[in-house]
Amino acid sequence: MSEPIIRLEHVSRTYHVGDIDVHALRDVSLTVNAGEFVAIMGASGSGKSTLMAVLGCLDRPSGGRYFFEGIDVAQLGEPERARLRSERLGFVFQSFNLLARTSAIENVALPLFYAASGPESATARTERARAALKLLGLGERENNTPGQLSGGQQQRVAIARALINEPGLLLADEPTGNLDTRTSHEIMETLARLNREHGVTVIVVTHESDIAAYADRTITMRDGEIVSDLRNPKPTKVPLTAAAGAIAPAHRAAGAIARHTHTAWAFGRMIVAAALQALHRNMMRSALTMLGVFIGVAALIAMVAVGQGANEAVRKQIESLGTNLVVVLPGARTMGGARGGFGSASTLTVNDAIAIRRESTAVSGVSYLIRQSGQTQYANQNWTTSIQGVSPNYPPMTNWRIESGRGIDDDDDASAALVVVIGKSVQRQLFGETTDPIGALIQVKNVPMRVIGVLASKGQTPFGTDQDDVVMIPFNTAERKVLGVAAPTQTQAQLNWIYPDPPNPYALTTHLTGYVNQIFLQAASGASVQPAVAQATDILRRRHRIKAGSDDDFSVRNLSQIAETAESSSRIMALLLAAVASISLVVGGIGIMNILLVSVTERTREIGLRMAIGARRIHVLLQFLAEAVLLSITGGIAGIVMGVAFSLAISLLAGWAAPISLMAVAGGFLFSAAVGIFFGYYPARKAAGLDPIEALRYE
Ligand code: ADP
Ligand code: MG
């Protein structure tokens, strides 16, 4: 005679509840041959379910040995036992345990996901599930969800699911317990027919003797022991049907264990499909969970873009100032800026500039300017602008480039030539877009001057001042012919329209010409900026005869330091923005974790069921992880789209460059995936760590 399908030798199962040992099974020995139809009866608490769990490889016996198809399954590891459940065993439960909001055919096909030998293609799986449903007489209802089926129909879907992998043994624990009498008999007839016509070995637990009468052997249990094991002389007759042979002959368990698993690719697809299905069943919740990551990623990308835009703007500003520059302004530097009042005069002169140029070793170039607001005129156009009398080296030192024509040279300055270089805004105001200004004669404070060049645009300062609203003329020309002698007694207020000065005790004792509004010093290198500041201060204090302890009547400002400060503060700002956005991403991740934890609790029975039909722990872990990552990545991608759109909108509407950084996009994507893995791992591990029997019993 061939190997029995089941051989139990002195099997016991003891639960430890506190200090008490509950002997759910004591010394059970049992043999079931292939093709048998066995009913297990007994009072509630007699150990029937415990026995079924042991037989179904869901639980391990505390003592004794269990051979399934000749294999000592107690020795097998978790993956092998899962594979046996998947391919050799079918489970039917009292409470059906179908996945809610999932069609009958999808429920039936579920075990194929976890079967190593299952068909690879989705269509083949669907075909097989359809055939199993037909066998159970549910061909018409394959698209109905459990909620749309009667109890009997649901149980038949569950039986079809148990049969899908052509198991050698079907275990049914009180399959009729939730059904009315008539439906109970239908289900039993179905099981009997599967046994008679398709050779499926069936073990069914029941309370009722008329249900047990379908089987050809009845085992009775009491207090964890088998008290009787009787052949049923006259099993209830079941009319034969013509549909025999739909289930293939049983394979051997050894074959099932030896068979290799799916390829990694198919495995991955299956996990993602299961995760998608789960997310799809809870659309609203999934969408809301994604929202956190969505907002986080969108904010991250937009904030980085805004921060970089600001950074970029500051850097442009700094570049337009010139490098290693120090500016000397008349008037003392106090806490609140330049101090001064009406009636004060400039304290700086050309001779100061020349002295610094001659005496300071750290300074490689010196330029200076005088300026005043005044009117320019061309034809019938007139425009009030800033008129600057500059030393010829001032424009190159401060990064003013000539766009067309030429700049002011030394000869122009020496001869006080009536030439002018105009800024872009002045060109636009006086000449419009079409007229070429080079060579034209314009009036600068009523002095006719020839336009020799146009300055390239520098744009606005961070404070919104238009830097291009300017005309430049040679310093000597300005002093002698246009702005007049910059005598403190006559033009002090005008001269200092931009930097009000403190009262100058030397105003009347120094000579009346050669006053300047700004002196620019270029340090030889970045390292000599500080020495240049110190030397210029010393030289000017000496020349202005300022006593030790008294305030300077000028101020020296390190422009590159201001630039660096501005740059680093804008960088800090950008970092802060990104950090705040990252925090919202983390909050989104916590949202995912939270929802998954709820989901694990809510789906405890589903997890138990998945394990019963063959899912390994790693399958469950990966499925929940996949759900988390899918949630976060979908949210992340939507966030990237939103963030990019937002950045573009800022660029367009605010006119502020908000460059989209590829780094931020890639970072946002990777970050969201990482958030999914990080925050999904804990719930996923919790799900995978569940005990299958306890999960199935969970209410
Ligand atoms: P039946 O299915 O015949 O009603 P069970 O096999 O479910 O009985 O239970 C057999 C005995 O084991 C009962 O006394 C029950 O209280 C006990 N039992 C079952 N599962 C557990 C468990 N997880 N922890 C403690 N005791 C348990
Ligand atoms: Mg039970």
Side-chain angles (χ1 to χ4, degrees), residues 48-49 173-174:
K48 306 180 299 291
S49 294
D173 193 349
E174 302 195 41

Side-chain angles (χ1 to χ4, degrees), residues 175-239:
T176 60
N178 283 1
L179 302 173
D180 60 65
T181 316
R182 209 178 65 99
T183 318
S184 295
H185 283 279
E186 271 174 28
I187 291 296
M188 286 314 290
E189 278 175 30
T190 306
L191 290 178
R193 190 175 294 130
L194 287 167
N195 174 258
R196 308 272 139 84
E197 298 175 17
H198 305 286
V200 183
T201 311
V202 179
I203 300 180
V204 55
V205 168
T206 181
H207 280 305
E208 299 163 57
S209 46
D210 58 333
I211 294 293
Y214 284 90
D216 31 42
R217 180 178 167 193
T218 305
I219 292 168
T220 310
M221 297 189 70
R222 190 188 305 142
D223 293 337
E225 286 176 302
I226 293 179
V227 290
S228 77
D229 185 349
L230 298 170
R231 298 268 142 206
N232 203 342
K234 255 200 286 176
T236 306
K237 278 281 176 287
V238 173

Side-chain angles (χ1 to χ4, degrees), residues 133-149:
L133 274 177
K134 270 216 184 85
L135 188 71
L136 274 298
L138 286 169
E140 310 291 299
R141 314 299 298 266
E142 61 174 54
N143 290 321
N144 291 41
T145 59
Q148 298 163 332
L149 295 170

